[in-house]
Amino acid sequence: MTALLTTEPDVNPEHSTTTDRHSPDLALDAPDVFFDRELSWLAFARRVLALAEDGDLPLLERLKFAGIMGVLHDEFFMKRIAGLKRLVRKGSTRRALAGQLPEEQLAACRQELLFQTEHLDRLILDEILPALAREGTQISHHGDLDEDLHASLRDYFRLSVLPILTPLAVDAEHPFPFISNEALNLGIWVPVRRTGQERFVRIKIPDNRPRWIARPDGLGFVPLEEVIASNLDLVFPDTPPREAFVFRVTRSAKGSAGEETENFTDDALREPGSIVRLVSNELKARRFAGVVRLQVDTHMPEDSIAWLCRQLDVGPDDVDRSATFLRVSDLLRFEDDGREHLMLPEHSPVTHPRLRELTPDDPTAIFDEIARGDILLHHPYDSFDSSVLHFLQSASVDPDVLAIKLTIYRTSKDSPIVQALAEAARRGKQVAVLVEITARFDEAPNIAWGRFLENQGVHVSYGVEKLKTHVKLALVVREERGRLRRYAHVGTGNYHTGTARIYEDLGVLTCHPEICEDTAKVFNELTGASEHASYQRMLVAPRTMRRSFTELIRREAEHAKAGAECGIRAKMNQLQDRAIIGELYRASQAGVPIELNVRGLCCLRPSVPGLSDNIRVFSVLGRFLEHSRIYRFANAGEPEHFIGSADWMKRNLDRRVETIMPVLDEEVGLCLDLILDMYAEDNSSAWDCQPDGIYTRRTPAEGEEPRAAQDVFIESAGEPDVGDEKQPAEATDSDNLLVAADLV
């Protein structure tokens, strides 16, 4: 068994209320000490909804945020609502962090989701679609078009859609068909002549046809499902249907390999290589997981809804009625050429100043530059392709490189990084890759990538028993002047060229001996199940990270008591861990000023008198998904900075393999201070969390220019030089849909 699994936690886990000489007594079981995790995440969704409402944003950007709301809600139902429903069915009396029982959490979540979906419907119907129409493009209802347009769309349906459709009837000979997760469906009642009754027929809306069909007059689009529903007489020429309604289901992610592999038994995991087979079986099981939500359009009659509920085994509380399009996430796929003025200006990543002289025909140059000093990369402002990708591609062809090691959590389709690793193996280099095949919703492509790399001669490992591997590490070993030297990339984001254009992330290229030595030890533990390795610099979960962060927070409290300079500044995606929050409360009470930039859910209550007077929490939302993790401790005037893969979540600290790197280069530390300052000074895209959990958006003071952090970073990066990437930093559909997997 891997050494990472054999070490007990360094600090009592989150349910502990133990105190010691460092910390005054603090009752962490009081219900008003924490925000509820689920409701805090839904508060984040409200902030995304506010961006869809924001009239100062270009119209198609607002439409994009409306589509992201659809993605977020889908994944929240699959993961969080499904989990709460399981606890309720089991009769669980386990109280959540903020003290609620599962049924209380479920009821509160449903109420908030109902508010958000109704609000989103009104926003789309009453504001966004009419505004699109005023701009000369629109999403029209089929019934609103004239006869000529009907005829043209009927021709399109007959030639391009009808041959694909498969009607599935339900009667004595035909059981109710399986309804795929998240698919769009038409439910159709078709008359049966011989009996005078009606038969239910389901038609799945094909995903390999555009959801938005261009109007023949060039004035907008029509939803595919309405084109199909309006031409069903071609499907049922002898018995035209009486009515047709759109519906879809959301299924639980229960049993998916997206959860930590604690779902797998010890016996099952003892068989060599069994994890791939087990994950593959879990993926098959996920397709048939229980339904947690039935979405219908508001025109569907109640008797039809009740009939569907019986077939799908769902209750009335699981039905969502939508006045707008089902599968709102498809708004992310809405594109209208020639409407660039309705979007934000294109952003092209810029090559980092220290890498601008590098050329593809000199693979050694990047290593020489790293040897001059650590390089801090800030994506998507600094180009991922001309930095991290260039680093790995250079390593793959550099004759002095002997070995490459990399972790893959998520990567892009047709990944150039995977191709570089394969090329390195073909050139005889030792290549080892840790492919995390339990990365939620990326299990299947990761298994495929792993098998491809194995066939190319790469040594592939598939994660660690019972722990998800979330580290973002690359290591290159070169022979220089008869000696071996290691180079590392430590990042906060995935090795994914697509999301590197829409995720904000950080990375450091370094050849610092201790950092590289620790990186090598991490890889040895991941791929070789080596026994205990002592780390010189790295914070590694689940071994040392919790203890290290606890000690760092407590040290700031000691400095505060001694009258020395103190302070904690942190940027992360989510904050939930009970024990870490308790340490932050104690540090605040000792007088430590704490500034937390938390993009998503945050269970800590800031600015509560007597509890968290000195803690400030805010969240930044913009065109890029904030994804980096930075931790800064003032340390009596000798500040220490850390970056890496882990949030302050229990899962990150106790149930995942994570790495946090100390920043040893003074210039890099100063750059991180500037980045933290820029977020703190944001006056237009930052939201401040109030003691009651309400987030209020900052607005510029009278006469003050708007200052959104992401805009400032774009301006600071400057214009692309010749040779920089010219294409906009926008993601593909699949990349956009990955956003939710990193959010929920």
Side-chain angles (χ1 to χ4, degrees), residues 264-276:
F264 303 142
T265 65
D266 288 339
D267 289 341
L269 287 168
R270 289 194 181 107
E271 180 186 341
S274 59
I275 186 67
V276 178

Side-chain angles (χ1 to χ4, degrees), residues 436-447:
E436 180 47 74
I437 59 171
T438 68
R440 193 191 322 153
F441 308 121
D442 266 287
E443 300 93 340
N446 283 1
I447 290 174

Side-chain angles (χ1 to χ4, degrees), residues 308-530:
L308 273 178
C309 286
R310 291 193 297 272
Q311 307 307 311
L312 295 166
D313 191 25
V314 296
D317 288 340
D318 300 316
V319 178
D320 277 3
R321 295 163 175 83
S322 177
T324 184
F325 316 105
L326 271 61
R327 202 163 71 185
V328 176
S329 59
D330 284 345
L331 291 175
L332 285 168
R333 298 184 172 95
F334 183 86
E335 296 180 357
D336 193 358
D337 294 338
R339 308 285 175 180
E340 289 78 9
H341 63 289
L342 300 181
M343 303 176 66
L344 290 169
E346 293 182 355
H347 167 65
S348 293
V350 175
T351 296
H352 190 285
R354 286 182 53 191
L355 303 177
R356 289 183 180 176
E357 302 302 320
L358 305 185
T359 58
D361 56 355
D362 183 6
T364 67
I366 191 168
F367 302 106
D368 294 337
E369 189 60 38
I370 296 170
R372 291 181 52 239
D374 291 357
I375 302 173
L376 176 67
L377 303 168
H378 194 192
H379 309 298
Y381 316 106
D382 293 324
S383 166
F384 182 89
D385 290 3
S386 61
S387 57
V388 180
L389 178 58
H390 182 80
F391 172 67
L392 294 170
Q393 288 177 331
S394 295
S396 71
V397 298
D398 180 1
D400 292 329
V401 169
L402 305 179
I404 304 173
K405 300 184 180 184
L406 187 82
T407 59
I408 293 179
Y409 189 74
R410 303 190 199 283
T411 194
S412 49
K413 183 180 180 181
D414 302 324
S415 170
I417 289 177
V418 172
Q419 298 301 331
L421 296 172
E423 176 64 23
R426 288 193 290 268
R427 289 173 178 258
K429 304 179 191 301
Q430 293 291 313
V431 183
V433 179
L434 188 289
V435 179
E436 180 47 74
I437 59 171
T438 68
R440 193 191 322 153
F441 308 121
D442 266 287
E443 300 93 340
N446 283 1
I447 290 174
W449 279 129
R451 288 171 173 162
F452 168 78
L453 288 169
E454 286 177 330
N455 291 335
Q456 301 300 312
V458 173
H459 304 295
V460 179
S461 295
Y462 291 97
V464 177
E465 294 178 17
K466 296 186 178 181
L467 295 174
K468 182 177 289 187
T469 304
H470 193 244
V471 298
K472 324 294 185 182
L473 294 176
L475 185 69
V476 172
V477 182
R478 297 183 83 230
E479 185 172 31
E480 300 177 359
R481 302 179 187 88
R483 300 179 63 182
L484 298 186
R485 189 175 194 178
R486 287 180 284 215
Y487 297 80
H489 173 262
V490 181
T492 67
N494 302 308
Y495 293 103
H496 191 301
T497 55
T499 57
R501 294 174 166 274
I502 58 171
Y503 283 28
E504 179 274 339
D505 269 306
L506 292 165
V508 171
L509 290 167
T510 183
C511 61
H512 191 284
E514 291 178 324
I515 297 296
C516 291
E517 176 71 19
D518 283 352
T519 301
K521 289 178 180 178
V522 172
F523 276 109
N524 287 342
E525 291 211 51
L526 292 175
T527 63
S530 62

Side-chain angles (χ1 to χ4, degrees), residues 163-337:
I164 302 173
L165 303 182
T166 303
L168 296 175
V170 179
D171 55 24
E173 292 82 20
H174 303 91
F176 189 81
F178 175 76
I179 308 298
S180 304
N181 185 38
E182 301 186 283
L184 284 174
N185 309 271
L186 281 179
I188 308 161
W189 291 104
V190 180
V192 180
R193 286 182 176 177
R194 69 177 184 274
T195 64
Q197 298 179 334
E198 291 181 317
R199 174 188 292 117
F200 181 84
V201 177
R202 176 261 192 156
I203 292 180
K204 182 178 180 179
I205 307 299
D207 285 329
N208 55 3
R209 298 285 83 185
R211 173 73 188 278
W212 313 112
I213 308 301
R215 286 175 44 159
D217 58 5
L219 296 180
F221 302 84
V222 182
L224 173 61
E225 64 271 21
E226 293 192 15
V227 175
I228 296 174
S230 299
N231 291 280
L232 287 174
D233 59 306
L234 296 178
V235 184
F236 307 97
D238 297 327
T239 53
R242 173 175 60 87
E243 55 187 5
F245 304 100
V246 184
F247 72 96
R248 72 189 289 254
V249 302
T250 308
R251 294 185 176 274
S252 168
K254 168 64 176 175
S256 76
E259 269 302 305
E260 279 67 29
T261 53
E262 61 188 13
N263 293 328
F264 303 142
T265 65
D266 288 339
D267 289 341
L269 287 168
R270 289 194 181 107
E271 180 186 341
S274 59
I275 186 67
V276 178
R277 173 177 51 80
L278 290 169
V279 171
S280 298
N281 290 340
E282 288 288 315
L283 289 175
K284 295 175 184 176
R286 178 192 293 172
R287 293 183 59 244
F288 302 98
V291 175
V292 294
R293 177 178 59 167
L294 168 63
Q295 286 183 290
V296 300
D297 68 49
T298 52
H299 301 295
M300 182 179 284
E302 290 300 322
D303 58 345
S304 295
I305 295 174
W307 187 86
L308 273 178
C309 286
R310 291 193 297 272
Q311 307 307 311
L312 295 166
D313 191 25
V314 296
D317 288 340
D318 300 316
V319 178
D320 277 3
R321 295 163 175 83
S322 177
T324 184
F325 316 105
L326 271 61
R327 202 163 71 185
V328 176
S329 59
D330 284 345
L331 291 175
L332 285 168
R333 298 184 172 95
F334 183 86
E335 296 180 357
D336 193 358
D337 294 338

